[in-house]
Amino acid sequence: MQHIYQIVVDTNVLLSSLKSNAGASYKLFSILNDRRWQVNVSTALLYEYEEILKNASNDLGLTLQEVDLAIAAICNIANFHPIFFLWRPMLKDADDEFLSDLALKAQADFIITYNQKDLQAVERFGIQVVTPKQFLQIVGEIES
């Protein structure tokens, strides 16, 4: 039986995927519902998705309703994790702590982000912190 990767996708990757239809972020979101991995979300991550995307909606050329639909589409394929236990403080940036809480609760294999430096502390739990390009290389979607 093939291992299904558990992933957490940082907001900066989602934002990047909506800014351009080129690049690894867009490729990742175009195949987000792949059977080889499972996306994981929490209330805090969904609130951040909503806040950042709605603030950037004009620059992205999206209406607020389209932002809501994009987030709903992610929710439809994701595992939702209520967070009752916090592992804080763990990271340099307190604003990223909710990502480590979710990754630990979801027993994630990967956090996919452009903010690798600030999230490195979770690697001691066996969670790889990778960019979208690195993740796509690992799963064989693009060449190294």
Side-chain angles (χ1 to χ4, degrees):
M1 186 168 141
Q2 182 181 359
H3 176 73
I4 297 173
Y5 293 120
Q6 298 300 315
I7 65 172
V8 173
V9 181
D10 196 358
T11 307
N12 56 35
V13 177
L14 175 56
L15 184 61
S16 178
S17 76
L18 293 171
K19 284 183 177 179
S20 170
N21 63 358
S25 295
Y26 182 82
K27 171 105 174 137
L28 174 63
F29 274 92
S30 71
I31 58 173
L32 200 58
N33 199 21
D34 193 287
R35 291 181 177 164
R36 294 174 288 173
W37 52 81
Q38 180 64 56
V39 179
N40 294 276
V41 297
S42 66
T43 301
L45 182 56
L46 292 172
Y47 278 141
E48 184 177 81
Y49 283 174
E50 181 180 41
E51 177 187 4
I52 299 300
L53 295 183
K54 285 188 175 180
N55 285 339
S57 63
N58 286 336
D59 295 337
L60 297 171
L62 298 173
T63 66
L64 297 180
Q65 183 180 15
E66 289 170 327
V67 168
D68 288 339
L69 290 172
I71 295 170
I74 293 169
C75 290
N76 283 334
I77 63 169
N79 290 328
F80 177 78
H81 294 276
I83 306 296
F84 298 111
F85 185 82
L86 306 179
W87 289 80
R88 300 168 190 198
M90 182 186 308
L91 304 176
K92 292 178 185 179
D93 185 351
D95 289 340
D96 291 330
E97 293 284 357
F98 71 93
L99 287 171
S100 63
D101 295 336
L102 172 58
L104 290 165
K105 173 73 167 67
Q107 298 179 341
D109 298 293
F110 298 95
I111 295 177
I112 304 170
T113 184
Y114 287 113
N115 188 18
Q116 291 175 285
K117 183 180 173 187
D118 288 347
L119 294 167
Q120 282 180 327
V122 301
E123 290 181 340
R124 68 179 171 225
F125 296 99
I127 300 167
Q128 295 181 57
V129 180
V130 297
T131 65
K133 181 179 179 181
Q134 290 169 324
F135 178 74
L136 292 171
Q137 287 170 333
I138 290 167
V139 299
E141 282 296 318
I142 59 174
E143 292 186 21
S144 299

